[in-house]
């Protein structure tokens, strides 16, 4: 199991939207990181008023050592990033390139990126928003009520929920409806 987890923009926004990012980062047993392309894609969270959005400021998390920003370190990572960017968005492409090269884990909910990783047999440990939340709940003994609140925040602030057929759909729905 990798000790460093790279998050793409969708997972990062979801976890930030939970209102519990620091707790999740501390409770998962993984070091959280993003690539530089993701830092420029992670812009806003929604507020209760649909016409308002809150600008995301990652700097406090970076300053406190809770989130690291990674850049390609060598020509191999840069070339792989460019190659993957022909099929994926920049954030996913750079995340996959660095995770593959350094043997880091990757958290993404992006179907296209997940499919490509599986189809090309890229050796990356994959996580999702739901699997991270489940790990946090189990390792930190998070109550169902606290998890329900985090899921509701993700739904309203990040506009994310797993679709029917998603492996974690039943888990999510059972908690939300409690």
């Amino acid at each position: 199991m990798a000790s460093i987890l790279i998050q793409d923009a969708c997972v990062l926004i979801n976890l930030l939207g939970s209102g519990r990012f620091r707790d999740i980062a501390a409770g998962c047993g993984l070091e959280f990181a993003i690539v530089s392309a993701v830092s420029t894609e992670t812009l806003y969270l929604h507020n209760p008023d649909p016409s308002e959005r809150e600008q995301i400021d990652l700097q406090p998390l970076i300053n406190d050592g809770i989130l690291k920003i990674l850049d390609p370190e060598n020509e191999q990572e840069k070339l792989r990033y460019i190659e993957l960017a022909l099929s994926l968005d920049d954030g996913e492409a750079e995340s996959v390139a660095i995770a593959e090269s350094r043997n880091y884990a990757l958290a993404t909910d992006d179907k296209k990126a997940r499919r490509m990783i599986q189809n090309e047999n890229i050796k990356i440990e994959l996580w999702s928003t739901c699997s991270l939340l489940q790990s946090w709940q189990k390792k930190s003994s998070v109550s169902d009520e606290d998890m329900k609140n985090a899921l509701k925040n993700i739904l309203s602030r990040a506009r994310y929920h797993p679709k029917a057929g998603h492996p974690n759909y039943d888990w999510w729905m059972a908690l939300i409806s409690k």
Side-chain angles (χ1 to χ4, degrees), residues 67-150:
L67 186 65
K68 291 184 178 186
I69 296 187
L70 307 173
D71 291 301
E73 290 180 339
N74 55 50
E75 200 63 25
Q76 175 192 353
E77 288 180 352
K78 291 175 188 172
L79 291 173
R80 183 66 169 144
Y81 168 32
I82 292 167
E83 176 187 350
L84 291 165
L86 297 173
S87 302
L88 300 173
D89 291 337
D90 282 350
E92 283 79 16
E94 190 175 28
S95 295
V96 171
I98 291 175
E100 180 183 29
S101 172
R102 301 181 199 178
N103 199 30
Y104 292 168
L106 173 65
T108 181
D109 293 319
D110 186 276
K111 287 181 184 179
K112 188 174 183 181
R114 293 179 77 86
R115 189 172 43 250
M116 173 187 256
I117 290 164
Q118 291 166 344
N119 289 345
E120 294 187 14
N121 202 27
I122 299 172
K123 303 293 184 210
I124 295 175
E125 179 184 338
L126 280 176
W127 291 74
S128 66
T129 296
C130 290
S131 63
L132 281 168
L133 292 170
Q134 287 173 322
S135 176
W136 171 55
Q137 184 176 30
K138 183 178 178 182
K139 289 182 178 182
S140 298
S141 301
V142 176
S143 71
D144 285 353
E145 187 62 30
D146 282 348
M147 184 57 72
K148 176 182 177 178
N149 290 333

